[in-house]
Amino acid sequence: MTRIIGIDLGTTNSCVAVLDDKQHPDTLVGADGERTTPSWVSWAASGQVTVGTRARRQAVTNPSATVYGVKRLIGRKVNAEDVAWFARLAPFRIVAAPNGDAWVRVHGQPISPQEVAAHILRRVKQVADESLGEPVTRCVVTVPAYFDDQQRQATRDAGMIAGLDVVRLLNEPTAAALAYGIHRHGGGRRLIGVFDLGGGTFDISIMSVDNGIFEVLATGGDSALGGEDWDRRLVERIVDEVFDQYRVDLTGIPMAMSRLREACETAKKALSTEPEAVIQLPFLANDGSGAPINFERTLTRDQVEGLTKDLMTRLEAPCQRALDDADLEPGELEEILLVGGMTRWPAVEKFVEKFFRKKPSKGVNPDEAVALGAAQYAGILAGESNDAALLDVTPHDIGIKVGDSQFAVVLPRNSMLPVRARRLFATTNENQKFVSIELYQGDSQDVSKNRKLGQVVLDDLTPGPAGSTRVELVITVDVESILSVTAREPKSGKEASVTIRPSGGLSQREIVEIINRRRQEASSQPAPEALSGGVRVTTREHSVHSLKPPTDDKK
Ligand code: AMP
């Protein structure tokens, strides 16, 4: 078996890890000595692409061509509420692809988030190739537990564009739990919380772990809250101070803002272990008379806590909501795992302890935990380790549209894969000739808020009064999340079926085009041999006949 690497493709930072010779997971270090790579990609006017720390530095001087937070866009529609929110904030342009997907526009060229993410994945692959001394092609990539099929498939497609075979996707909280060794505790079902505060997002997951089976019971969070908000508060404070003292507005000086942002983040990190830190920025800018401003200021942890009280407050509601969804009290969780670099901030740890009424576990580097867990899972898949039996589950309810806009769930979320569910429906009209069954995935009772997966049409139904004709629907999902749907009229034995592969928004042709373009740009890039996934479902156009809500429920 060839080696499989574990990749944490993060909103702000990405990280790669692998099992070492003793089957211990270890994160790999890039040529720059860093264990994490900022998930930033920048394009020079010449078309040259920069990834990681150097790209992040260019954000201030080349803001419209430096893309970050692409994980917020991958597999999403441009009109989704949080995408629209991100588009308002981002200094680069987010545009609609012909199918409504959110893409970015750089130097006038539309680019899919899959292609941007592929640049990041290619960089972490390079870190792995160099540090292992051999090219790696197979990987496990982690995704948030709440990612739907399209976001998951788009992440797979990004891997393919990067020349990687994404052997499996793994839920981030599951990866963190693996890194913390939760599955080794024995003693039956355990309830745990995974508290993940990274650079740009906050995720809380409530899970049960039972005999190697990880089940996500509830997820919550705040996609607009992370360590960068703490940094921004410090930057804003210092911008005000410099203005008061020198009458100079630093926000108009990109290079000064870039240095200030980095200095504030460094000071924040130092303050997580020290009570005081000094920010020194010689020659930050020039004052009104042209004299250099040599900025120096001592910052205390108390001051930072004072400036960020409201950010701390925002952690509470998502935790409460996730517990409510899982029908649990804070004290019922046996263990809380800290994940994400920002959980190193002492006030965050204190909040977790107070809210969940127990000391959180911190045995693993929080910014590496997800990659380490991915490496462990990769080791299990490669046969290097038989540590845990991990079963995949469906992330969202799968069902059909009934009535005008009701959602009838056929396969509840968290069903263990592979899974099959069967349900009976009845026609609503007299002598109804056909039914057109629309499949959706999502967690809302209002079908319009869920994602349409496809459609299956069963015609030539036996004529009869309304409600007399039964249609049996069987939905099967295999371990690769490929969905097969069969609609059958038991009376006549007539049936119609469709297979739905998750689509990430790009067609196979588009993926091949991107790969070929990349090959031309960098002829040394290895390209994948086989393509899978990305297939769209096409069904006959029919006017839609409604179905009645379920009349029977058999599994
Ligand atoms: P992640 O997305 O998990 O890599 O987390 C990145 C965030 O964690 C950034 O906002 C960092 O500034 C923050 N971070 C990393 N290390 C520390 C630390 N020692 N103290 C406070 N924040 C930190």
Side-chain angles (χ1 to χ4, degrees):
M1 280 263 202
T2 52
R3 208 154 201 178
I4 309 180
I5 55 173
I7 299 175
D8 168 12
L9 179 62
T11 309
T12 42
N13 292 302
S14 296
C15 188
V16 55
V18 72
L19 284 194
D20 69 13
D21 297 341
K22 296 192 182 93
Q23 267 106 60
H24 291 142
D26 195 13
T27 47
L28 302 176
V29 183
D32 52 4
E34 297 293 332
R35 283 185 186 269
T36 56
T37 301
S39 305
W40 296 59
V41 183
S42 187
W43 283 260
S46 65
Q48 201 196 339
V49 181
T50 311
V51 182
T53 307
R54 280 181 49 216
R56 187 175 179 165
R57 291 210 176 110
Q58 286 182 23
V60 181
T61 49
N62 187 18
S64 62
T66 303
V67 175
Y68 60 86
V70 73
K71 195 169 166 179
R72 298 180 187 276
L73 306 178
I74 201 160
R76 308 293 316 279
K77 295 290 173 204
V78 79
N79 57 6
E81 207 175 296
D82 49 338
V83 171
W85 160 83
F86 184 52
R88 277 195 298 275
L89 283 185
F92 50 88
R93 285 200 62 200
I94 294 170
V95 294
N99 64 358
D101 282 0
W103 284 26
V104 295
R105 188 191 288 276
V106 176
H107 296 311
Q109 290 294 321
I111 304 176
S112 67
Q114 290 89 318
E115 197 173 348
V116 181
H119 283 292
I120 301 163
L121 288 172
R122 209 174 286 116
R123 162 54 66 90
V124 295
K125 171 178 157 38
Q126 188 190 355
V127 169
D129 289 351
E130 286 170 6
S131 95
L132 297 172
E134 60 183 22
V136 285
T137 51
R138 304 173 79 208
C139 64
V140 166
V141 180
T142 58
V143 287
Y146 53 78
F147 258 27
D148 65 17
D149 274 354
Q150 183 164 355
Q151 290 164 292
R152 284 165 196 264
Q153 186 56 39
T155 306
R156 284 179 181 278
D157 293 344
M160 191 182 290
I161 295 167
L164 282 162
D165 172 12
V166 180
V167 182
R168 209 55 80 77
L169 298 175
L170 179 64
N171 283 336
E172 285 161 9
T174 305
L178 272 176
Y180 273 91
I182 294 298
H183 54 296
R184 296 200 200 98
H185 280 272
R189 185 170 187 253
R190 292 166 64 77
L191 294 170
I192 62 162
V194 179
F195 184 99
D196 182 351
L197 186 60
T201 54
F202 167 48
D203 293 314
I204 173 81
S205 311
I206 312 291
M207 303 182 76
S208 87
V209 184
D210 187 0
N211 209 11
I213 297 174
F214 291 71
E215 189 179 344
V216 180
L217 304 176
T219 61
D222 185 335
S223 59
L225 181 64
E228 283 162 6
D229 295 295
W230 271 254
D231 306 344
R232 205 170 302 126
R233 284 292 155 82
L234 305 187
V235 169
E236 282 163 4
R237 166 50 70 97
I238 291 175
V239 164
D240 286 350
E241 285 177 3
V242 168
F243 187 77
D244 288 347
Q245 198 174 340
Y246 301 97
R247 297 281 134 193
V248 172
D249 180 9
L250 293 179
T251 57
I253 311 170
M255 195 50 79
M257 288 302 282
S258 173
R259 289 178 62 204
L260 183 58
R261 203 203 57 71
E262 272 197 38
C264 286
E265 186 185 5
T266 307
K268 176 192 72 178
K269 289 182 182 173
L271 289 171
S272 67
T273 50
E274 306 292 332
E276 282 189 5
V278 179
I279 294 183
Q280 279 179 317
L281 289 164
F283 303 102
L284 183 59
N286 290 331
D287 68 12
S289 67
I293 299 173
N294 294 312
F295 184 82
E296 179 167 335
R297 186 200 199 287
T298 301
L299 205 62
T300 68
R301 189 190 296 163
D302 288 348
Q303 285 168 336
V304 180
E305 286 184 357
L307 287 171
T308 54
K309 270 204 182 96
D310 60 315
L311 300 177
M312 291 298 308
T313 312
R314 283 168 59 190
L315 294 170
E316 186 164 337
C319 293
Q320 190 56 55
R321 221 169 307 133
L323 280 173
D324 291 346
D325 286 353
D327 206 11
L328 292 169
E329 294 295 323
E332 284 186 81
L333 301 180
E334 283 178 56
E335 209 171 331
I336 314 293
L337 313 182
L338 294 184
V339 180
M342 197 56 209
T343 59
R344 289 200 163 104
W345 184 243
V348 171
E349 193 186 326
K350 255 184 252 155
F351 162 81
V352 174
E353 183 171 348
K354 187 159 172 242
F355 184 86
F356 292 100
R357 298 173 212 159
K358 63 179 49 67
K359 271 200 177 309
S361 305
K362 352 184 259 177
V364 180
N365 268 347
D367 28 20
E368 296 174 14
V370 170
L372 293 172
Q376 258 171 289
Y377 189 44
I380 296 165
L381 293 175
E384 293 169 38
S385 150
N386 56 4
D387 208 12
L390 271 188
L391 298 184
D392 280 343
V393 294
T394 51
H396 297 285
D397 290 338
I398 296 172
I400 68 165
K401 178 175 169 180
V402 290
D404 280 343
S405 71
Q406 261 176 288
F407 183 45
V409 176
V410 178
L411 229 158
R413 66 198 264 254
N414 283 329
S415 299
M416 227 64 86
L417 299 183
V419 64
R420 170 172 299 187
R422 181 173 286 130
R423 230 166 156 166
L424 269 183
F425 296 88
T427 49
T428 48
N429 300 337
E430 194 182 342
N431 291 332
Q432 191 169 320
K433 293 230 168 54
F434 67 88
V435 285
S436 172
I437 300 169
E438 291 177 38
L439 287 131
Y440 284 82
Q441 178 188 48
D443 299 318
S444 172
Q445 292 184 346
D446 175 0
V447 85
S448 66
K449 299 211 167 91
N450 297 333
R451 186 189 290 277
K452 187 170 177 187
L453 296 173
Q455 194 166 331
V456 59
V457 178
L458 182 63
D459 43 22
D460 297 329
L461 293 176
T462 311
S468 68
T469 304
R470 298 290 169 101
V471 173
E472 180 192 58
L473 190 70
V474 180
I475 298 185
T476 310
V477 187
D478 73 8
V479 285
E480 293 296 322
S481 294
I482 294 169
L483 198 95
S484 313
V485 185
T486 303
R488 187 170 163 272
E489 191 197 339
K491 208 181 204 169
S492 65
K494 270 202 184 78
E495 64 176 47
S497 50
V498 65
T499 299
I500 301 173
R501 290 171 190 280
S503 164
L506 289 179
S507 66
Q508 277 192 337
R509 187 177 50 77
E510 287 169 312
I511 293 172
V512 172
E513 272 170 16
I514 296 170
I515 293 171
N516 288 341
R517 180 153 40 81
R518 268 297 305 173
R519 253 195 229 155
Q520 281 166 2
E521 283 164 7
S523 51
S524 60
Q525 278 296 323
E529 283 156 16
L531 288 175
S532 65
V535 178
R536 290 178 165 282
V537 190
T538 47
T539 48
R540 275 185 296 163
E541 280 299 313
H542 260 276
S543 61
V544 175
H545 273 227
S546 55
L547 285 168
K548 255 205 320 214
T551 53
D552 197 353
D553 185 2
K554 278 192 227 151
K555 265 220 173 169

